[in-house]
Amino acid sequence: MYVCSCFGVTEEQVRNHAAAGACTPRRLAAECRAGTDCGSCVRRIQGLLARNCPPAEATASTVAPTAASTGAVPRAPVVPAVPAAPEVGPMRVPAALGV
């Protein structure tokens, strides 16, 4: 049965991608584009992935450690400075308008 009719992705294809490691809608979308057009299939995809992927705790060992898990103090992101707006002088009215 089709899950994503926009790209013709079936339940079996979703299960196969999940077995290969695409266990989030975003990773699945990167593999087969399912859920990236109209979005009506995203909830169905989430349900299929929930049934076909290991729980998050089981995959936690394959995820890189975060600052919280290592005890490191997170740094604030560097934000580039915004250039100042140019100075604007008085508005000039063309003489032809007679103002």
Side-chain angles (χ1 to χ4, degrees), residues 46-89:
Q46 289 171 331
L48 286 167
L49 293 177
R51 287 192 298 273
N52 292 287
C53 289
E57 301 85 42
T59 59
S61 62
T62 62
V63 177
T66 62
S69 67
T70 61
V73 177
R75 293 177 32 180
V78 176
V79 180
V82 177
E87 295 260 342
V88 178

Side-chain angles (χ1 to χ4, degrees), residues 13-27:
Q13 288 173 307
V14 171
R15 284 193 287 272
N16 291 341
H17 284 294
C23 287
T24 65
R26 186 169 291 190
R27 293 225 13 228

